């Protein structure tokens, strides 16, 4: 699984966050753990495969927000309580 973090400018409230999250879910139906933060100017989501960067940019810019780039990283699913139990 791959976690994608978008850098987005122009979000100013919770409704902006919801709008970005809806656009991500519409463009990438298999996206999981979709979230956005107007205070951090980011949105994150997890997919099984890498997403098309052009599709990502076009989706965000079509909303009127400013796409400033993205980063990807492997996503590791954590167990109950973040895996704190069972460690030695």
């Amino acid at each position: 699984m791959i976690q994608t973090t978008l850098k987005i400018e122009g979000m100013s409230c919770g409704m902006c966050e919801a709008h970005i999250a809806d656009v991500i879910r519409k463009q990438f139906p298999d996206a999981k753990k979709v979230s956005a933060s107007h205070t951090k100017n980011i949105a994150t989501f997890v997919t099984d495969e890498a997403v098309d960067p052009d599709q990502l940019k076009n989706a965000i810019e079509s909303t009127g927000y400013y796409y400033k780039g993205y980063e990807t990283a492997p996503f590791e699913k954590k167990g109950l309580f973040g895996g704190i139990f069972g460690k030695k």
Side-chain angles (χ1 to χ4, degrees):
M1 297 184 85
I2 298 171
Q3 180 170 320
T4 302
T5 302
L6 303 171
K7 297 173 187 164
I8 303 169
E9 289 185 3
M11 294 187 291
S12 60
C13 64
M15 290 302 295
C16 296
E17 295 170 352
H19 189 207
I20 290 292
D22 288 344
V23 167
I24 291 169
R25 287 186 189 100
K26 183 177 179 182
Q27 288 296 311
F28 306 101
D30 68 329
K32 300 170 186 73
K33 299 188 178 286
V34 179
S35 67
S37 170
H38 72 279
T39 58
K40 295 179 182 178
N41 293 319
I42 62 169
T44 61
F45 62 97
V46 176
T47 52
D48 292 329
E49 302 292 327
V51 296
D52 177 7
D54 291 331
Q55 184 181 4
L56 191 57
K57 180 180 179 184
N58 291 337
I60 298 304
E61 289 184 345
S62 72
T63 64
Y65 299 102
Y66 302 101
Y67 173 85
K68 297 296 182 179
Y70 79 106
E71 297 175 356
T72 60
F75 177 77
E76 293 183 24
K77 193 173 185 178
K78 294 186 171 117
L80 188 62
F81 301 110
I84 59 173
F85 296 107
K87 290 185 178 182
K88 296 182 180 184

